[in-house]
Amino acid sequence: MILGITGSSGAGKSTVCEILERKYSSQTINADKIAKQLSKQGTNYLQEIIQNFGDDILLEDGELNRRKLANIIYSNPEKRDELNNITFKYIKNEIKEQIAKSNNNIIAIDAPLLLEANLQEICDKTIAVISEDRNLQIKRIIKRDNIDKERYEVVPIYITKD
């Protein structure tokens, strides 16, 4: 069984995946971690990002400057869509490869943009994790990303359209 776990940042997707792992010995595939791995130097994914956004989105050591790229996509919806289109195809392919190699009976795909990436197509069930406590959600993000509250206040949260 393949479960799609989606929800906004800090909602508790990772916690749900941890519970599934403990209780049902499931395997978790994390889309955000895949995106970070795919953006390493020399990957096709990074090369396509450079082709579309220019090599000024790289740090001096050739690694992706995530902060600079984030500033671009949060201020320009067309650029955000462009990046998502690039990212989604690579992530979807990697997730499919990991599923194909897995011997696990239950796989949870932790993906904040599960529906936007059309990953629900490969899922048997989709679970949306929603935090009813916005302050708790903010505390989770601050702890997870090791940022202070002031820094968090200027970081936009990506919320998709219905």
Side-chain angles (χ1 to χ4, degrees):
M1 175 176 283
I2 300 172
L3 302 171
I5 313 295
T6 190
S8 62
S9 184
K13 295 179 301 298
S14 296
T15 301
V16 169
C17 290
E18 289 169 9
I19 292 168
L20 290 169
E21 287 173 9
R22 278 195 316 267
K23 191 163 183 165
Y24 301 104
S25 299
S26 69
Q27 173 188 347
T28 299
I29 298 173
N30 186 299
D32 286 343
K33 288 181 181 176
I34 289 172
K36 286 181 183 175
Q37 292 168 349
L38 290 174
S39 66
K40 300 271 185 215
Q41 277 184 348
T43 63
N44 292 335
Y45 173 65
L46 182 58
Q47 290 307 312
E48 192 166 341
I49 291 175
I50 294 167
Q51 288 172 358
N52 287 273
F53 290 87
D55 59 6
D56 59 329
I57 55 134
L58 297 176
L59 296 168
E60 287 184 23
D61 64 1
E63 293 292 328
L64 180 63
N65 186 334
R66 295 181 184 286
R67 183 168 291 172
K68 189 167 190 175
L69 185 58
N71 288 337
I72 293 169
I73 66 165
Y74 286 127
S75 64
N76 185 327
E78 291 85 19
K79 289 291 186 184
R80 182 176 55 231
D81 290 343
E82 187 177 333
L83 178 63
N84 283 343
N85 288 332
I86 295 167
T87 303
F88 292 161
K89 70 181 176 186
Y90 284 94
I91 288 176
K92 194 171 191 177
N93 286 339
E94 179 62 26
I95 288 172
K96 285 180 177 180
E97 285 181 28
Q98 287 187 27
I99 290 170
K101 293 176 185 175
S102 178
N103 293 324
N104 205 300
N105 292 327
I106 302 172
I107 298 172
I109 301 171
D110 179 344
L113 300 178
L114 185 103
L115 301 175
E116 293 80 356
N118 289 319
L119 286 166
Q120 79 279 3
E121 296 172 346
I122 62 173
C123 298
D124 298 306
K125 301 283 181 190
T126 301
I127 300 168
V129 181
I130 301 168
S131 175
E132 292 184 12
D133 184 341
R134 182 74 176 139
N135 288 327
L136 177 59
Q137 194 172 358
I138 291 169
K139 285 178 186 175
R140 288 176 181 152
I141 295 167
I142 289 169
K143 181 179 178 184
R144 178 195 69 206
D145 296 348
N146 195 27
I147 57 175
D148 57 38
K149 180 127 172 103
E150 291 74 33
R151 167 84 175 104
Y152 173 79
E153 296 298 333
V154 299
V155 175
I157 294 179
Y158 178 59
I159 299 174
T160 61
K161 298 176 186 172
D162 292 333

